Amino acid sequence: MTTLPLFPLPAVLFPGGEIALRIFEPRYLDMIRDCARDGRGFGICLMLESDDGRAPASPAAIGTLARIVDFNVLEDGLLGILARGEARFRASATHVRSDGLIHADVDMLEPDPVLPVPPEFGLLATILSRYHERAGATFAQHEQSRYDESAWVGFRLAEAFPLSVSERQLLLQTADPLDRLSHLMQWLPRFQDA
């Protein structure tokens, strides 16, 4: 078990994915400084609304370890960072520091097994490949062999499809990459008419 500072967001980060963040609150500026100085990661997790709407929102139990890959100064003068998702974790307890920064005791989850995309999900790999072709240069660098990895295809489609944050969280929490592809295949008809 390890302790991670958390950056709760109304978004989901997947392993291998990237997220651009605008940092302005002092507690997160301090967190980013400490992570950059020590070469440590931080946790990104979906902020869940309370059932009754009165209690404060809380972070989802399953999140993703993120590492800073780039810094920049945004047009408004604020700090911008680019973070890359590495591995999923499960938080067992959270602690709020005096500055409001949430820390969590986490267990890192096993990486998804490397499984080929089964023929019944081949359409998903084809859709992702075509999406990346249309998206241009940033996606052109992916090796063709990645399109035959179930976990990678599932995570990249979870980023690309217009899903709700709760659907993205469900896909992040899904431990079996073939189950993740099955969810995406079931939802596919929704996007074909869009």
Side-chain angles (χ1 to χ4, degrees):
M1 184 169 298
T2 187
T3 301
L4 280 179
L6 296 186
F7 198 124
L9 293 169
V12 176
L13 175 66
F14 295 99
E18 293 183 342
I19 189 166
L21 299 172
R22 186 171 168 261
I23 312 296
F24 55 92
E25 291 185 49
R27 60 185 163 173
Y28 295 122
L29 287 166
D30 291 344
M31 180 193 80
I32 295 302
R33 182 199 63 223
D34 294 344
C35 288
R37 182 187 62 221
D38 301 336
R40 292 180 302 138
F42 59 96
I44 290 184
C45 46
L46 178 64
M47 204 61 173
L48 300 173
E49 295 299 324
S50 64
D51 290 337
D52 63 8
R54 290 180 292 208
S58 61
I62 305 289
T64 303
L65 174 68
R67 291 210 190 266
I68 301 164
V69 295
D70 197 13
F71 292 92
N72 58 34
V73 177
L74 303 174
E75 288 181 11
D76 57 8
L78 296 176
L79 173 65
I81 67 165
L82 183 66
R84 182 172 296 131
E86 291 190 351
R88 297 176 308 134
F89 63 80
R90 179 184 304 278
S92 56
T94 57
H95 321 277
V96 181
R97 288 191 344 190
S98 60
D99 64 0
L101 184 66
I102 302 171
H103 278 77
D105 297 330
V106 303
D107 291 308
M108 300 311 294
L109 300 176
E110 289 292 320
D112 284 357
V114 178
L115 299 172
V117 174
E120 62 267 29
F121 299 131
L123 176 61
L124 293 173
T126 300
I127 289 169
L128 181 63
S129 177
R130 290 187 180 152
Y131 171 77
H132 283 169
E133 285 172 13
R134 279 191 232 118
T138 54
F139 294 105
Q141 60 198 339
H142 296 309
E143 293 178 28
Q144 197 58 37
S145 62
R146 300 302 309 261
Y147 296 96
D148 193 41
E149 294 177 23
S150 291
W152 188 83
V153 168
F155 285 141
R156 301 297 70 84
L157 281 174
E159 295 163 346
F161 280 175
L163 302 173
S164 69
V165 290
S166 60
E167 288 169 331
R168 285 190 168 96
Q169 184 65 28
L170 171 68
L171 294 175
L172 181 68
Q173 292 175 189
T174 300
D176 184 333
L178 300 184
D179 288 346
R180 198 174 297 122
L181 292 179
S182 180
H183 283 299
L184 289 161
M185 199 68 169
Q186 290 170 16
W187 297 335
L188 186 58
R190 288 177 12 204
F191 314 127
Q192 291 176 325
D193 297 331

